[in-house]
PDB file of all heavy atoms in Angstrom:
ATOM      1  N   HIS U 134       2.243 116.435 -80.616  1.00  0.00           N
ATOM      2  CA  HIS U 134       1.343 116.690 -81.740  1.00  0.00           C
ATOM      3  C   HIS U 134      -0.129 116.699 -81.320  1.00  0.00           C
ATOM      4  O   HIS U 134      -0.994 117.117 -82.103  1.00  0.00           O
ATOM      5  CB  HIS U 134       1.557 115.640 -82.844  1.00  0.00           C
ATOM      6  CG  HIS U 134       1.044 114.278 -82.479  1.00  0.00           C
ATOM      7  ND1 HIS U 134       1.813 113.350 -81.806  1.00  0.00           N
ATOM      8  CD2 HIS U 134      -0.169 113.688 -82.691  1.00  0.00           C
ATOM      9  CE1 HIS U 134       1.115 112.248 -81.624  1.00  0.00           C
ATOM     10  NE2 HIS U 134      -0.095 112.422 -82.153  1.00  0.00           N
ATOM     11  N   GLU U 135      -0.428 116.263 -80.108  1.00  0.00           N
ATOM     12  CA  GLU U 135      -1.806 116.227 -79.636  1.00  0.00           C
ATOM     13  C   GLU U 135      -2.250 117.542 -79.014  1.00  0.00           C
ATOM     14  O   GLU U 135      -3.387 117.641 -78.538  1.00  0.00           O
ATOM     15  CB  GLU U 135      -1.970 115.097 -78.618  1.00  0.00           C
ATOM     16  CG  GLU U 135      -1.659 113.714 -79.163  1.00  0.00           C
ATOM     17  CD  GLU U 135      -1.852 112.622 -78.133  1.00  0.00           C
ATOM     18  OE1 GLU U 135      -3.015 112.345 -77.765  1.00  0.00           O
ATOM     19  OE2 GLU U 135      -0.841 112.051 -77.674  1.00  0.00           O
ATOM     20  N   PHE U 136      -1.392 118.559 -79.037  1.00  0.00           N
ATOM     21  CA  PHE U 136      -1.704 119.830 -78.384  1.00  0.00           C
ATOM     22  C   PHE U 136      -1.698 120.976 -79.386  1.00  0.00           C
ATOM     23  O   PHE U 136      -1.051 120.908 -80.441  1.00  0.00           O
ATOM     24  CB  PHE U 136      -0.686 120.126 -77.274  1.00  0.00           C
ATOM     25  CG  PHE U 136      -0.682 119.118 -76.160  1.00  0.00           C
ATOM     26  CD1 PHE U 136       0.145 118.004 -76.205  1.00  0.00           C
ATOM     27  CD2 PHE U 136      -1.513 119.281 -75.066  1.00  0.00           C
ATOM     28  CE1 PHE U 136       0.148 117.075 -75.182  1.00  0.00           C
ATOM     29  CE2 PHE U 136      -1.516 118.352 -74.035  1.00  0.00           C
ATOM     30  CZ  PHE U 136      -0.692 117.252 -74.095  1.00  0.00           C
ATOM     31  N   SER U 137      -2.402 122.033 -79.041  1.00  0.00           N
ATOM     32  CA  SER U 137      -2.386 123.248 -79.854  1.00  0.00           C
ATOM     33  C   SER U 137      -1.106 124.037 -79.580  1.00  0.00           C
ATOM     34  O   SER U 137      -0.332 123.707 -78.663  1.00  0.00           O
ATOM     35  CB  SER U 137      -3.603 124.115 -79.513  1.00  0.00           C
ATOM     36  OG  SER U 137      -3.488 124.609 -78.176  1.00  0.00           O
ATOM     37  N   GLY U 138      -0.878 125.087 -80.363  1.00  0.00           N
ATOM     38  CA  GLY U 138       0.313 125.895 -80.177  1.00  0.00           C
ATOM     39  C   GLY U 138       0.383 126.531 -78.804  1.00  0.00           C
ATOM     40  O   GLY U 138       1.433 126.554 -78.159  1.00  0.00           O
ATOM     41  N   GLY U 139      -0.753 127.055 -78.327  1.00  0.00           N
ATOM     42  CA  GLY U 139      -0.775 127.655 -77.001  1.00  0.00           C
ATOM     43  C   GLY U 139      -0.519 126.642 -75.907  1.00  0.00           C
ATOM     44  O   GLY U 139       0.182 126.929 -74.923  1.00  0.00           O
ATOM     45  N   GLN U 140      -1.085 125.448 -76.054  1.00  0.00           N
ATOM     46  CA  GLN U 140      -0.852 124.398 -75.059  1.00  0.00           C
ATOM     47  C   GLN U 140       0.609 123.964 -75.051  1.00  0.00           C
ATOM     48  O   GLN U 140       1.186 123.716 -73.994  1.00  0.00           O
ATOM     49  CB  GLN U 140      -1.760 123.209 -75.349  1.00  0.00           C
ATOM     50  CG  GLN U 140      -3.224 123.450 -75.043  1.00  0.00           C
ATOM     51  CD  GLN U 140      -4.094 122.282 -75.452  1.00  0.00           C
ATOM     52  OE1 GLN U 140      -3.883 121.659 -76.499  1.00  0.00           O
ATOM     53  NE2 GLN U 140      -5.092 121.967 -74.637  1.00  0.00           N
ATOM     54  N   ARG U 141       1.208 123.869 -76.239  1.00  0.00           N
ATOM     55  CA  ARG U 141       2.624 123.486 -76.287  1.00  0.00           C
ATOM     56  C   ARG U 141       3.512 124.534 -75.634  1.00  0.00           C
ATOM     57  O   ARG U 141       4.514 124.199 -74.997  1.00  0.00           O
ATOM     58  CB  ARG U 141       3.052 123.245 -77.746  1.00  0.00           C
ATOM     59  CG  ARG U 141       2.533 121.944 -78.323  1.00  0.00           C
ATOM     60  CD  ARG U 141       3.249 121.567 -79.599  1.00  0.00           C
ATOM     61  NE  ARG U 141       2.906 122.446 -80.705  1.00  0.00           N
ATOM     62  CZ  ARG U 141       1.944 122.185 -81.594  1.00  0.00           C
ATOM     63  NH1 ARG U 141       1.240 121.067 -81.487  1.00  0.00           N
ATOM     64  NH2 ARG U 141       1.711 123.019 -82.585  1.00  0.00           N
ATOM     65  N   GLN U 142       3.138 125.806 -75.762  1.00  0.00           N
ATOM     66  CA  GLN U 142       3.940 126.835 -75.093  1.00  0.00           C
ATOM     67  C   GLN U 142       3.775 126.744 -73.581  1.00  0.00           C
ATOM     68  O   GLN U 142       4.729 126.991 -72.832  1.00  0.00           O
ATOM     69  CB  GLN U 142       3.544 128.225 -75.601  1.00  0.00           C
ATOM     70  CG  GLN U 142       4.573 129.300 -75.334  1.00  0.00           C
ATOM     71  CD  GLN U 142       5.909 129.022 -75.977  1.00  0.00           C
ATOM     72  OE1 GLN U 142       6.644 128.140 -75.542  1.00  0.00           O
ATOM     73  NE2 GLN U 142       6.239 129.757 -77.021  1.00  0.00           N
ATOM     74  N   ARG U 143       2.594 126.370 -73.116  1.00  0.00           N
ATOM     75  CA  ARG U 143       2.406 126.137 -71.679  1.00  0.00           C
ATOM     76  C   ARG U 143       3.287 124.973 -71.213  1.00  0.00           C
ATOM     77  O   ARG U 143       3.857 125.010 -70.113  1.00  0.00           O
ATOM     78  CB  ARG U 143       0.930 125.838 -71.383  1.00  0.00           C
ATOM     79  CG  ARG U 143       0.006 127.036 -71.562  1.00  0.00           C
ATOM     80  CD  ARG U 143      -1.454 126.647 -71.360  1.00  0.00           C
ATOM     81  NE  ARG U 143      -2.353 127.750 -71.641  1.00  0.00           N
ATOM     82  CZ  ARG U 143      -2.754 128.654 -70.763  1.00  0.00           C
ATOM     83  NH1 ARG U 143      -2.343 128.563 -69.500  1.00  0.00           N
ATOM     84  NH2 ARG U 143      -3.565 129.625 -71.103  1.00  0.00           N
ATOM     85  N   ILE U 144       3.384 123.954 -72.046  1.00  0.00           N
ATOM     86  CA  ILE U 144       4.257 122.816 -71.720  1.00  0.00           C
ATOM     87  C   ILE U 144       5.711 123.275 -71.644  1.00  0.00           C
ATOM     88  O   ILE U 144       6.456 122.861 -70.749  1.00  0.00           O
ATOM     89  CB  ILE U 144       4.087 121.706 -72.776  1.00  0.00           C
ATOM     90  CG1 ILE U 144       2.676 121.110 -72.680  1.00  0.00           C
ATOM     91  CG2 ILE U 144       5.139 120.620 -72.600  1.00  0.00           C
ATOM     92  CD1 ILE U 144       2.279 120.291 -73.884  1.00  0.00           C
ATOM     93  N   ALA U 145       6.118 124.128 -72.576  1.00  0.00           N
ATOM     94  CA  ALA U 145       7.487 124.651 -72.563  1.00  0.00           C
ATOM     95  C   ALA U 145       7.758 125.448 -71.286  1.00  0.00           C
ATOM     96  O   ALA U 145       8.853 125.387 -70.717  1.00  0.00           O
ATOM     97  CB  ALA U 145       7.725 125.517 -73.792  1.00  0.00           C
ATOM     98  N   ILE U 146       6.760 126.182 -70.830  1.00  0.00           N
ATOM     99  CA  ILE U 146       6.912 126.938 -69.580  1.00  0.00           C
ATOM    100  C   ILE U 146       7.040 125.977 -68.401  1.00  0.00           C
ATOM    101  O   ILE U 146       7.886 126.163 -67.513  1.00  0.00           O
ATOM    102  CB  ILE U 146       5.718 127.888 -69.387  1.00  0.00           C
ATOM    103  CG1 ILE U 146       5.729 128.969 -70.476  1.00  0.00           C
ATOM    104  CG2 ILE U 146       5.751 128.524 -67.998  1.00  0.00           C
ATOM    105  CD1 ILE U 146       4.484 129.830 -70.488  1.00  0.00           C
ATOM    106  N   ALA U 147       6.205 124.938 -68.382  1.00  0.00           N
ATOM    107  CA  ALA U 147       6.288 123.945 -67.315  1.00  0.00           C
ATOM    108  C   ALA U 147       7.652 123.280 -67.299  1.00  0.00           C
ATOM    109  O   ALA U 147       8.242 123.047 -66.236  1.00  0.00           O
ATOM    110  CB  ALA U 147       5.182 122.901 -67.478  1.00  0.00           C
ATOM    111  N   ARG U 148       8.187 122.966 -68.471  1.00  0.00           N
ATOM    112  CA  ARG U 148       9.513 122.354 -68.543  1.00  0.00           C
ATOM    113  C   ARG U 148      10.582 123.293 -68.003  1.00  0.00           C
ATOM    114  O   ARG U 148      11.503 122.865 -67.305  1.00  0.00           O
ATOM    115  CB  ARG U 148       9.832 121.973 -69.993  1.00  0.00           C
ATOM    116  CG  ARG U 148      11.175 121.270 -70.147  1.00  0.00           C
ATOM    117  CD  ARG U 148      11.423 120.824 -71.568  1.00  0.00           C
ATOM    118  NE  ARG U 148      11.419 121.947 -72.502  1.00  0.00           N
ATOM    119  CZ  ARG U 148      11.651 121.820 -73.806  1.00  0.00           C
ATOM    120  NH1 ARG U 148      11.885 120.628 -74.325  1.00  0.00           N
ATOM    121  NH2 ARG U 148      11.635 122.877 -74.602  1.00  0.00           N
ATOM    122  N   ALA U 149      10.474 124.577 -68.317  1.00  0.00           N
ATOM    123  CA  ALA U 149      11.447 125.543 -67.812  1.00  0.00           C
ATOM    124  C   ALA U 149      11.374 125.673 -66.295  1.00  0.00           C
ATOM    125  O   ALA U 149      12.388 125.893 -65.628  1.00  0.00           O
ATOM    126  CB  ALA U 149      11.210 126.906 -68.472  1.00  0.00           C
ATOM    127  N   LEU U 150      10.167 125.518 -65.739  1.00  0.00           N
ATOM    128  CA  LEU U 150       9.991 125.671 -64.291  1.00  0.00           C
ATOM    129  C   LEU U 150      10.399 124.427 -63.508  1.00  0.00           C
ATOM    130  O   LEU U 150      10.550 124.496 -62.289  1.00  0.00           O
ATOM    131  CB  LEU U 150       8.526 125.991 -63.984  1.00  0.00           C
ATOM    132  CG  LEU U 150       7.996 127.337 -64.497  1.00  0.00           C
ATOM    133  CD1 LEU U 150       6.508 127.436 -64.204  1.00  0.00           C
ATOM    134  CD2 LEU U 150       8.743 128.496 -63.863  1.00  0.00           C
ATOM    135  N   ALA U 151      10.568 123.312 -64.198  1.00  0.00           N
ATOM    136  CA  ALA U 151      10.806 122.032 -63.522  1.00  0.00           C
ATOM    137  C   ALA U 151      12.078 122.040 -62.681  1.00  0.00           C
ATOM    138  O   ALA U 151      12.183 121.306 -61.697  1.00  0.00           O
ATOM    139  CB  ALA U 151      10.862 120.895 -64.543  1.00  0.00           C
ATOM    140  N   LEU U 152      13.052 122.875 -63.041  1.00  0.00           N
ATOM    141  CA  LEU U 152      14.308 122.931 -62.302  1.00  0.00           C
ATOM    142  C   LEU U 152      14.346 124.085 -61.306  1.00  0.00           C
ATOM    143  O   LEU U 152      15.403 124.395 -60.747  1.00  0.00           O
ATOM    144  CB  LEU U 152      15.480 123.061 -63.282  1.00  0.00           C
ATOM    145  CG  LEU U 152      15.747 121.819 -64.137  1.00  0.00           C
ATOM    146  CD1 LEU U 152      16.800 122.103 -65.193  1.00  0.00           C
ATOM    147  CD2 LEU U 152      16.175 120.657 -63.261  1.00  0.00           C
ATOM    148  N   ALA U 153      13.195 124.730 -61.088  1.00  0.00           N
ATOM    149  CA  ALA U 153      13.102 125.860 -60.153  1.00  0.00           C
ATOM    150  C   ALA U 153      14.165 126.918 -60.452  1.00  0.00           C
ATOM    151  O   ALA U 153      14.996 127.258 -59.600  1.00  0.00           O
ATOM    152  CB  ALA U 153      13.219 125.380 -58.713  1.00  0.00           C
ATOM    153  N   PRO U 154      14.180 127.467 -61.677  1.00  0.00           N
ATOM    154  CA  PRO U 154      15.225 128.417 -62.065  1.00  0.00           C
ATOM    155  C   PRO U 154      15.046 129.776 -61.395  1.00  0.00           C
ATOM    156  O   PRO U 154      13.980 130.094 -60.859  1.00  0.00           O
ATOM    157  CB  PRO U 154      15.033 128.535 -63.575  1.00  0.00           C
ATOM    158  CG  PRO U 154      13.560 128.309 -63.766  1.00  0.00           C
ATOM    159  CD  PRO U 154      13.193 127.262 -62.751  1.00  0.00           C
ATOM    160  N   LYS U 155      16.101 130.569 -61.459  1.00  0.00           N
ATOM    161  CA  LYS U 155      16.061 131.952 -60.994  1.00  0.00           C
ATOM    162  C   LYS U 155      15.896 132.937 -62.147  1.00  0.00           C
ATOM    163  O   LYS U 155      15.454 134.062 -61.946  1.00  0.00           O
ATOM    164  CB  LYS U 155      17.343 132.281 -60.231  1.00  0.00           C
ATOM    165  CG  LYS U 155      17.564 131.463 -58.962  1.00  0.00           C
ATOM    166  CD  LYS U 155      18.870 131.859 -58.299  1.00  0.00           C
ATOM    167  CE  LYS U 155      19.117 131.041 -57.026  1.00  0.00           C
ATOM    168  NZ  LYS U 155      20.426 131.401 -56.398  1.00  0.00           N
ATOM    169  N   PHE U 156      16.296 132.500 -63.342  1.00  0.00           N
ATOM    170  CA  PHE U 156      16.348 133.395 -64.493  1.00  0.00           C
ATOM    171  C   PHE U 156      15.846 132.641 -65.719  1.00  0.00           C
ATOM    172  O   PHE U 156      16.268 131.505 -65.967  1.00  0.00           O
ATOM    173  CB  PHE U 156      17.791 133.855 -64.697  1.00  0.00           C
ATOM    174  CG  PHE U 156      17.993 134.807 -65.847  1.00  0.00           C
ATOM    175  CD1 PHE U 156      17.192 135.916 -66.020  1.00  0.00           C
ATOM    176  CD2 PHE U 156      19.023 134.601 -66.754  1.00  0.00           C
ATOM    177  CE1 PHE U 156      17.389 136.794 -67.054  1.00  0.00           C
ATOM    178  CE2 PHE U 156      19.246 135.475 -67.812  1.00  0.00           C
ATOM    179  CZ  PHE U 156      18.423 136.583 -67.954  1.00  0.00           C
TER     180      PHE U 156
END
Side-chain angles (χ1 to χ4, degrees):
H134 71 272
E135 300 181 70
F136 297 90
S137 67
Q140 288 175 321
R141 285 195 290 266
Q142 199 60 288
R143 291 176 185 271
I144 293 164
I146 294 172
R148 183 176 60 178
L150 294 175
L152 291 173
K155 297 179 180 178
F156 181 49

